[in-house]
Amino acid sequence: MPDTELTGDLFLLSPEADVRFTPPEAKPEALIVERIRARQVEAFDDLYRMFAPMVHGIVLSRVPREEADDVVQEVFIAAYKNLNSLRDTNAVGPWLAKIARNFSAGLFRGRRQDVELTDDISEKRRPENEANEILAVILRMPLTYKETLVLRLVEGMTGPEIAEQTGMTPDSVRVNLHRGMKMLRRELGVEVK
């Protein structure tokens, strides 16, 4: 077979052609991205279900709780509109995490989030009061700990899930969770034995 027959198809690509591809070792989320790009509408629902807890946790660690759901929706709308800018389909989790962080920071830059605790914290010790108290303490912590603690304690993600979806190293997640929990216990007055 002449060389021109073997290579002829290679020259059909224009300089503007989309040369993205899914690597052979594609993760499940990479395949979902490719389905979305192929206009399979239901695939975006799959992507949302897979990453919504992570995005919600990141957003919740940066914005007031009552606004978090709206911001999560805006993050996914922005992701959908910009999906063609994603070059590595295996990195969709870290890409969404970055969008969530940047979007939250941009929206709420200049706003100061103050969460006040009443002096009478022990008021009827209902679970929702305790959860609000813990969340308020977490939201006053350094961002490094705040994000991983919200993903773990609020969204229920495991350390390996946090690392995989956000692109952080497992060691970083483990250290942030350990130090964050230690700080949280100290702030809540819980003794560690």
Side-chain angles (χ1 to χ4, degrees), residues 133-161:
E133 174 188 351
I134 292 168
L135 184 59
V137 171
I138 291 171
L139 294 177
R140 290 192 311 256
M141 297 173 83
L143 191 56
T144 304
Y145 305 137
K146 181 174 17 180
E147 184 176 298
T148 52
L149 285 175
V150 170
L151 290 172
R152 177 71 184 108
L153 300 175
V154 177
E155 300 301 333
M157 296 173 69
T158 65
E161 288 172 335

Side-chain angles (χ1 to χ4, degrees), residues 27-82:
K27 295 180 180 178
E29 55 265 31
L31 300 175
I32 292 172
V33 169
E34 292 307 317
R35 287 177 41 221
I36 295 168
R37 287 178 174 167
R39 306 268 187 233
Q40 294 179 15
V41 179
E42 70 283 351
F44 195 75
D45 293 338
D46 295 339
L47 186 74
Y48 182 87
R49 277 191 293 280
M50 182 178 276
F51 289 103
M54 186 245 335
V55 170
H56 186 264
I58 289 170
V59 169
L60 185 60
S61 70
R62 289 167 166 75
V63 304
R65 185 177 49 193
E66 59 275 359
E67 297 181 39
D69 290 339
D70 291 337
V71 175
V72 169
Q73 294 301 319
E74 292 298 323
V75 166
F76 276 98
I77 289 169
Y80 183 77
K81 288 178 180 178
N82 295 295

